[in-house]
Amino acid sequence: MAIPIEMPKLGNTVEECLLAKWRKQVGEPVSEGEIIAEIETDKAVFELKAPASGTLLATFFQSGDAVPVFANVCVLGHPGEPFELFRPQAGDPPPGPAPSSDSRTTAEPPPPQAAAAPAAAAASPDRPSLSPRARRFARERHFYPEAITGSGAGGRILESDLLERYHRSPRPSPLAKALLDDGFQIREEPSEAAGLIRSSDLRPPAAKISTMRERIARRMRESLSSTAQYTMNASASAVGLLALRSRIKAGHLAQSWPDININEMVLFCAVRALEQVPELNVEFLDGRIYRTEEIHIGFACDTPRGLVVPVVRNCRRLEIAELARKIKTLARQASEGSIAREDLGGGTFTVTNLGVFGIESFTPILNPPQVAILGVNAIGLKPVRGKDGGVEFVEHIGLSLTCDHQVIDGAPGARFLKTVREKIEAIESLAPFPR
Amino acid sequence: MYDLIVIGAGPGGYEAAAHAGRLGMKTLLAEKEFIGGTCLNVGCIPTKTFLKSARLFSECRSAAAYGVEIAGAKWNQAAVVQRKNKVVSTLTRGVEALLKKNRVEVVRAAARLQSAGLVQVGDRRLEARNILIATGARPAVPPIPGIDSPSVLDSTAVLNLTEVPARVAVIGGGYIGLELAGFFFAAGAAVTVLEMLPRIASGSDADISSRLQQAFKKSGVTLKTSCKVTRIEGNRISCLDDQGAAFETEAECIVNATGRVPVVQDLGLEELGIDLDRKGIKVDERGRTSLPGVWACGDVTGRRQLAHAATREGLVAVNEMAGRRDRIRYEAIPSVIYTHPEVACVGWTEEELKAQGKEYKKALVPMAVAGRFLVENEGGSGVVKVLAGARYGEILGVHMLGDLSSEFIVAAAQMMEMEMRIADVEKVVFPHPTVSEALKLALLEIA
Ligand SMILES: Cc1cc2nc3c(=O)[nH]c(=O)nc-3n(C[C@H](O)[C@H](O)[C@H](O)COP(=O)(O)OP(=O)(O)OC[C@H]3O[C@@H](n4cnc5c(N)ncnc54)[C@H](O)[C@@H]3O)c2cc1C
């Protein structure tokens, strides 16, 4: 009875091995314990031995092929015995090119991007890939020659191909080697053709973005691809804001008041405007509009780790002092990194302020499923027509409102922005300021 | 049609020409004055022969400290000059032989560029694929009233003095000024050095230059730093100190050692629009000027003003012409000041590292840790300073003060050139007893 011989699993993490060389040909007699083929993993060369005596009836792979572990590589038996049933099926893990040296599938550090590094070579379908041992050799020595012809089947690059080239190529200096071990990469074009690869030929490793950055990136892309956002700019007289601010600074207000800043005042006005124009205080999810009775306002915080948007809950009818206090607490927690998860979600509207950097207008990006976000800009002088018909310069604060046109048309958006302006201009009469 | 015409036969030009010849390039070398350039004729070599005599003379006087009594040692300046000339002519012949061996055609005439591929050499117009300008530098003449008085000599003139003046004032405390000051002092003159900057050898690491300053003062040389020479009248030199107070000093011989300026005149550079500034012809790290096919190396480019740097720059340019990629790096080019004690350095100074914000470790070890140093230098002192990267331990700078250090600074340069880390150096064996063991100990102290 014919017996299949399968690719052994040589190590826990090995998913496939390279069939380096057939030592027996189809039709040749083989005795038990004789070596049929040589197998390479990235760690060593192994010999595939015959488990019994017989004739090599069929081989299913060629030398140079990467063979999944446990796949049948050949069949032993008596001449004439059927063997087709042992042929690996299409559904089996496909033979063929080894996984590319793509770091995601092999958990290896990505190889340095030397000129036409085999990373690229292996990844592109028309370039031969590296055998597992060759890959390991290359990785350990940071050695990635360009334009090398492999002597394995299909041009696959074997360790011996690299070895030969290695002994004729520039090597990293001791310092360069230490830097390469630390993830530095060889620049496209080494500065000298021969001799040493030196530290000046290397560039520092590309910085991997943090999980937080990754999350922000994804959310921003999603926002832009899932909404129809547009931004409108306007400005409001900041005379009231500034007057209030200077009274607070001068300590003219009651001791119990926190040090309310311009941003907090604008946020307060936005809440008041949302109370009046509730169309913007909605969520738009899967083609449905969800109205919420409460107003939960997110505010963008620049923290050492990146953008964080804490949410102040239940802002409706909050007094300005109370609102400011809540904002300050959340902002502190956000920058310390101690903010609770539940304080980071569930907003119905967002305010973001770049005015402190002197920004005059920008395009805030929506925080879906929210449908609007208000950007606060710098305060600057603006010429306005005075009562007597002359031109006066009045301090104005810039406002940039982004809305999702899927839900909010231009007019209601503009109406909201106008309301915010009115609230800002009337700030001093809006709340009972203790004296 | 030549593959290369080199203008100037200093260490930049003649080595480049020989290298080009070796690579099979058809090469012509034009020299208007002397084969070997400044270095061989009026620079490195003649000053060192002078300094050798000076050293021998002072050793004779201090020989008793070694148990040898020498009475009646006498200085013979004419014989010193004679020996210098002999050494120079031996070496010049050596250079001529080198050029001949490499089939370089040598023309003793001034050369001038006509266009990118055309050079006027004497009364001939020659075509060349490449032109290498290696015309060197000459002594600077600072705008000091009276700098043209007959008592003022530059380094070239000093080398032909047949008598040692009683009093010598050296304007400039750079390496040329210091070497000449040391020479005159040892030969018996009363010497004053006038330096405008707050310290002498100002390019050196401060730990080295401050010790060199002490050694000079101890020996009896008068050093005036932060001192500005305002006027020279006959033998009188008027100066201002850093407080703005005026003072005067007198000397029979006033040495102008205020630096060197590139030789860029009469070469046709302006006509061809080749980029240059006060420091010299501008070149990139491969020696290319702004005009394709025209290259420059050495002092005329104003980069390092050292003979071995000129040579390396020339070789880089020739390699590039021949299609071998190369580039000049200065990190591992050593420099030496042949004073007594001598200074030998390579790499960054501590001040430079601080300015770069580079994190480093350092070791400062007295030369006396090496037995041989004590043997050779009765009463002498010196230090080895090593600077290495804080993280990887790569050697960033080695600065030494002490006699014989010039002979082994190359070991440090080699380590830096190969980008060895302190950890890699541990396996290097230093012969015992040599002064170089002080370097080894300084390196190990960082490890
Ligand atoms: C007193 C003194 C001591 C020194 N000591 C040292 C030392 O110890 N170590 C060290 O490394 N360096 C020393 N130097 C510096 C060293 O001499 C120079 O760095 C070196 O000579 C520069 O070489 P170069 O080839 O660029 O130019 P140079 O050696 O100056 O040669 C240039 C040549 O070009 C020729 N030339 C110029 N114009 C033309 C033209 N139009 N046509 C034809 N030929 C022309 C000149 O005649 C000259 O021969 C010293 C210099 C001086 C002055």
Side-chain angles (χ1 to χ4, degrees), chain B residues 302-320:
Chain B
R303 289 177 288 180
R304 268 296 165 95
Q305 299 215 346
L306 289 170
H308 43 284
T311 299
R312 175 75 188 118
E313 289 165 0
L315 297 193
V316 167
V318 170
N319 281 338
E320 281 287 322

Side-chain angles (χ1 to χ4, degrees), chain B residues 20-220:
Chain B
R22 217 163 14 237
L23 295 180
M25 293 164 70
K26 187 172 182 232
T27 307
L28 180 142
L29 174 61
E31 167 58 53
K32 69 170 182 197
E33 202 172 355
F34 25 51
I35 300 296
T38 304
C39 170
L40 222 68
N41 297 280
V42 293
C44 328
I45 295 298
T47 50
K48 264 87 264 180
T49 59
F50 270 34
L51 286 166
K52 170 64 193 177
S53 299
R55 174 70 59 86
L56 194 56
F57 191 45
S58 59
E59 277 178 355
C60 286
R61 284 177 300 183
S62 59
Y66 298 83
V68 180
E69 279 165 29
I70 303 175
K74 275 210 209 84
W75 183 266
N76 179 343
Q77 177 66 15
V80 169
V81 171
Q82 217 172 13
R83 171 166 188 267
K84 181 261 295 182
N85 292 341
K86 196 179 90 199
V87 171
V88 168
S89 76
T90 306
L91 289 173
T92 310
R93 282 199 305 278
V95 173
E96 281 162 349
L98 173 81
L99 292 167
K100 193 165 169 212
K101 180 170 155 236
N102 290 295
R103 289 181 296 280
V104 175
E105 185 182 336
V106 179
V107 177
R108 306 294 291 259
R112 181 188 175 93
L113 268 68
Q114 298 294 328
S115 65
L118 200 60
V119 186
Q120 180 86 34
V121 180
D123 46 18
R124 289 197 288 164
R125 279 178 165 230
L126 303 172
E127 280 181 59
R129 280 193 190 87
N130 296 287
I131 300 164
L132 176 64
I133 304 172
T135 50
R138 55 179 170 74
V141 183
I144 299 171
I147 191 82
D148 51 356
S149 354
S151 54
V152 179
L153 304 181
D154 62 21
S155 63
T156 304
V158 159
L159 295 170
N160 289 320
L161 278 183
T162 47
E163 259 174 64
V164 176
R167 289 172 302 175
V168 175
V170 178
I171 309 178
Y175 79 93
I176 294 179
L178 292 174
E179 287 180 12
L180 292 176
F183 162 75
F184 281 119
F185 182 75
V191 176
T192 304
V193 176
L194 305 166
E195 167 59 55
M196 201 154 79
L197 296 172
R199 56 190 177 105
I200 57 165
S202 60
S204 311
D205 189 279
D207 273 329
I208 301 298
S209 64
S210 64
R211 283 174 171 80
L212 179 65
Q213 191 152 328
Q214 283 162 18
F216 254 86
K217 281 197 169 148
K218 208 174 118 198
S219 73

Side-chain angles (χ1 to χ4, degrees), chain B residues 146 149-152 165-169 171 194 231-239 248-255:
Chain B
S149 354
S151 54
V152 179
R167 289 172 302 175
V168 175
I171 309 178
L194 305 166
R231 172 177 297 277
I232 299 167
E233 272 165 301
N235 295 341
R236 281 217 318 278
I237 308 168
S238 312
C239 310
E248 281 191 357
T249 178
E250 277 192 29
E252 284 69 44
C253 170
I254 302 168
V255 179

Side-chain angles (χ1 to χ4, degrees), chain A residues 221-230 284 365-371 402-406:
Chain A
R221 280 194 310 271
E222 280 170 8
S223 170
L224 288 179
S225 64
S226 68
T227 65
Q229 36 192 297
Y230 66 98
F284 182 60
I365 293 181
L366 283 177
N367 208 350
Q370 295 170 26
V371 299
T402 297
C403 298
D404 187 347
H405 216 315
Q406 295 179 100

Side-chain angles (χ1 to χ4, degrees), chain A residues 173-174 182 191 198-200, chain B residues 327 391-392 417-419 424:
Chain A
S173 72
D182 272 4
S191 52
R198 48 184 73 250
S199 56
S200 53
Chain B
R327 75 183 167 114
R391 184 173 157 90
Y392 295 103
E417 175 64 21
M418 303 314 281
E419 295 197 321
D424 306 308

